[in-house]
Amino acid sequence: MGYDVPHWIDGHEENGGGSTQPIMNPATGAQVGTLQLGDESTVDRAVQIAADAQKAWAKVSLAGRTQIFYRMRELMIEHTDEIAQVISREHGKTFGDAKGEIARGLETLEFATSITQDLKGGFSQNVSTGVDAHTLRQPLGVVVGITPFNFPAMVPFWMHPVAIATGNAFILKPSERDPSASNIVARLYQEAGLPAGVFQVVHGGKTVVDALSTHEGVSAVSFVGSTPIAMHVHATASAAGKRVQALGGANNHAVIMPDANLEFAAAQVASGAFGSAGERCMAVPVAVTVGDAHEAFMTAITAEAKKLVVGPGDDPTTDMPPVITPEARERVIRMTDEAEQAGATIVVDGRGLVVKGFEKGNFVGPTVITDLAADHPTYTEEVFGPVLVVMHVNNFDEAIDLVNSSRFGNGTAIFTDSGHYARRFEDEIQVGMIGINVPIPTPVGYYSFGGWNDSLFGEHHAHGPEGVSFYTRQKAVTTRWPAQNETVEASMSFPTHD
Ligand code: NAD
């Protein structure tokens, strides 16, 4: 039904695996396409092809590689609307939001155009008499990316430009929910001149993920998705001897200090909580009001939530789109019900929302909850929907303790006019990415992205300098060029420097 989405292997589309899965439009609830699901043999074929392609690719000069990335950047800009439309149809997010994620993904591609700088090694002359030392970084081989539904362009772009620019072959396993953008990117890489087999796409679910994570031809696995699957992939791939970075879920808190510009803070928190229906790993599902900030912030955030227009992503008047599946919608409603049953106040209630003409869509309205206990799952767990829980504390220290008690540690923000509290926040908070009066502090492409605690398993953050480090390994070379007539006594002592 609708269009067909096959794998992209060895420079062309092909079927493989035998089974399929429907691709749905979250706004209409209707099937729009059919996805081919791979199996172990699809993975095996892709890995063999990648291994062959990588050997030749690693020999391509840095100048040759970067020229391809420059061309790819132009092609991505030219095709932004086409990719954004596909994302909006399969993910549900607004057209403008889809264009935004493509633009943020391009930052990493731009970073890859200057890989010449990042692959420079170190050199020391005369570390010992007549002896020099230098380092170089080399690719790992075949590396894999497994990505979530919520950023079908940007999150894969955190991985493949850096992996490929450093000389690896990359196999992408995108989300089954919105797979088409990845095939367009594969086609554009080919048009940009990337040799067949260096970037491939294998579609599928657990079978494909497990096969990629354990295949002996794969050297490293980058994963982004929910915490339970991140833990599974980290454990499985690590046990199989792979280098692994597995980015998991989040429950990001924004702390609202009484000295903050509260209107500004409420507008920023609203965009963090309800943008893309809260389905962002850097969403802001929790606001922590400190002392006197509570009342004024509640008034402002209620007004912000109530004015949002909920509708399909391809309607230019839409502020907030549907969530991804009927199950996701039901989870949001159930977690709101459970909070209410536990005595919370539902200040803005999105449960009953129906969008006219889209009655079968996965719509749920913006929801604001307060008076919820700090051990309730609607606060402690990731809702991943348009729900903002407002927690109230008495002072800054209590706010720090509350944020640090979360098992996640992806992003956090503080809204304040005080440099003193901003500086203390940055120092004392146990979270990987911090915003000072910035609600979604997603680092630019030339920095690296990553959380702490249950938001990231493994040592390396994604993209930027940490990406270069993840996708390469270092050699340290010690060099001596004795004169042809130079003689030396054999020494049994461990060499020291003179
Ligand atoms: P998900 O964990 O369900 O899926 C992620 C990937 O894992 C997909 O490619 C999927 O096919 C695969 N997968 C699913 N179940 C699997 C299983 N049992 N075994 C092996 N593989 C499996 O995540 P999602 O629902 O697609 O995405 C939303 C989640 O991703 C949220 O938790 C969100 O916070 C998180 N996320 C985190 C970041 C980050 O940077 N930390 C970024 C984006 C999204």
Side-chain angles (χ1 to χ4, degrees), residues 146-151 155 158 173-176 204-206 209-210 223-227 229 232-233 247-250 280-281 382 384 410 449 455:
I146 300 156
T147 54
F149 80 83
N150 63 329
F151 284 108
V155 168
W158 287 353
K173 205 305 284 175
S175 168
E176 308 91 302
K206 181 174 170 53
V209 170
D210 289 350
F223 173 90
V224 177
S226 61
T227 290
I229 312 299
H232 165 73
V233 169
L247 282 67
R280 292 180 180 143
C281 57
E382 183 179 38
F384 219 55
N410 214 38
F449 182 107
S455 295

Side-chain angles (χ1 to χ4, degrees), residues 164-183:
I164 293 170
T166 50
N168 299 281
F170 186 89
I171 301 175
L172 174 62
K173 205 305 284 175
S175 168
E176 308 91 302
R177 314 242 175 258
D178 41 20
S180 295
S182 298
N183 284 32

Side-chain angles (χ1 to χ4, degrees), residues 239-301:
K242 319 296 177 207
R243 187 179 285 194
V244 193
Q245 53 178 183
L247 282 67
N251 197 25
N252 308 316
H253 293 49
V255 172
I256 319 294
M257 295 293 286
D259 60 23
N261 174 340
L262 292 176
E263 298 285 325
F264 176 87
Q268 297 282 296
V269 169
S271 65
F274 307 125
S276 201
E279 291 176 326
R280 292 180 180 143
C281 57
M282 291 293 271
V284 183
V286 182
V288 183
T289 51
V290 178
D292 291 345
H294 187 71
E295 223 166 283
F297 179 78
M298 286 308 297
T299 306
I301 195 72

Side-chain angles (χ1 to χ4, degrees), residues 8 15 30 32 34-35 58 83 85 128 133 225 235-236 377 383 436 471 482:
W8 182 276
N15 292 338
V32 290
T34 303
L35 178 69
I83 300 171
Q85 267 153 14
S128 191
T236 315
V383 179
I436 314 279
Y471 291 122

